Amino acid sequence: MSNSNSDVKKAIAIALTIILVFTGGYFFGVFTQFHLVGSGGEPAEIPSVIQVAGGAASSGGSAAAAPAASTPSSGSDNAAPAASDKGGKSDAAPADSKGDKPADTAPAASDAMTKAEIVDLFKTSANKIKTESGVTVTRNYEDLQHNEEKLEVPAALKSIGSSLISTFLKKDETPVNYTGQEIIDNYPVRGQSYVTNLTENDVTEATCTDDGTYYNITLKFPEETDPTTTGVATSFNIIKADEVYAAASVVKNFNATYYDAVITCQIDKKTGNMVHATYTLPIVMKVTAGVAFATLDAQVGMTFIDDYSIAY
């Protein structure tokens, strides 16, 4: 695999560590020799109200980061948007006093936008990241979280397994800049000339608020197992089963279920340019491996959060 497939490599490393170490420990009693302790790095939960197309209200958020100087700060460091029972329309500020109009692709009032219009606004703005020249993308951080409640391994190994997995899943706050071909190679969807090809049928919910300067969009995706052309596969970097099989012959069966996936972003009203985006992708990986005379089933839950700033 290429160096850009870091998520796949990490997923395979986690799965194989569980399989090989746990299998060795299960049959030879060596697992008690491991004393690895990792750190979690869960974000704080700070909900914010989002205006839903059609008038209902719910809440959402994005993982906070220190974006480039020309970009705004984002919302909350929230992996899973919380529900809100506040109602009414958004009281977002109007366009600035200079009378500048939004880009031609942007509707005049976000609270009047339909789901299809919000998706189209997101798609048009997002795809400019890979098609316009002079763009710089900064990955502000990558937060890999272990969802311990999803872990399924032999009971005697669960405690050490949780600690072992946490050594792989940490938060990397070192900014990484991408330009030109690097954006195509690394920014979702990785390796493609587009950022997204989603339609309104690929999301369960699309919301937007107008704060006077930016359109703040939240997209929520349905739960799917091993999608190839729908849902999260249209917009996220996903783990493909055939890549796992090619990289590890010991793996006899693999599938990945994605749930509660969310993209939040900010779009500059004047230019139509997306200036900030956060991708939150919870995954449950199930692996069956054959080692020597035995087979082992393992399940691992994790969440990948990637936060980006975009400058033009």
Side-chain angles (χ1 to χ4, degrees), residues 160-283:
I160 189 173
S162 181
S163 295
L164 184 62
I165 294 168
S166 292
T167 65
F168 289 90
L169 301 180
K170 296 181 178 180
K171 188 173 185 178
D172 182 358
E173 297 185 272
T174 303
V176 179
N177 293 322
Y178 303 124
T179 58
Q181 186 64 36
E182 294 171 334
I183 299 175
I184 294 175
D185 292 341
N186 293 281
Y187 194 85
V189 173
R190 180 182 292 127
Q192 302 293 337
S193 59
Y194 58 84
V195 172
T196 180
N197 60 8
L198 86 169
T199 68
E200 62 176 310
N201 294 327
D202 292 308
V203 294
T204 57
E205 187 177 332
T207 66
C208 182
T209 56
D210 175 357
D211 65 14
T213 304
Y214 303 102
Y215 288 110
N216 301 280
I217 291 177
T218 298
L219 302 176
K220 298 181 180 180
F221 292 76
E223 179 175 324
E224 291 185 282
T225 298
D226 293 336
T228 57
T229 59
T230 61
V232 297
T234 67
S235 307
F236 286 83
N237 294 329
I238 62 172
I239 299 169
K240 299 177 181 178
D242 58 354
E243 292 177 324
V244 176
Y245 296 138
S249 60
V250 69
V251 177
K252 304 306 179 185
N253 190 49
F254 174 91
N255 66 64
T257 298
Y258 305 88
Y259 66 99
D260 293 342
V262 177
I263 297 175
T264 60
C265 69
Q266 288 183 309
I267 297 173
D268 189 304
K269 291 179 61 180
K270 293 181 182 178
T271 63
N273 292 336
M274 187 174 296
V275 295
H276 185 266
T278 304
Y279 290 71
T280 301
L281 185 63
I283 308 170

Side-chain angles (χ1 to χ4, degrees), residues 35-46:
H35 302 284
L36 303 177
V37 179
S39 61
E42 269 73 23
E45 183 173 324
I46 308 175

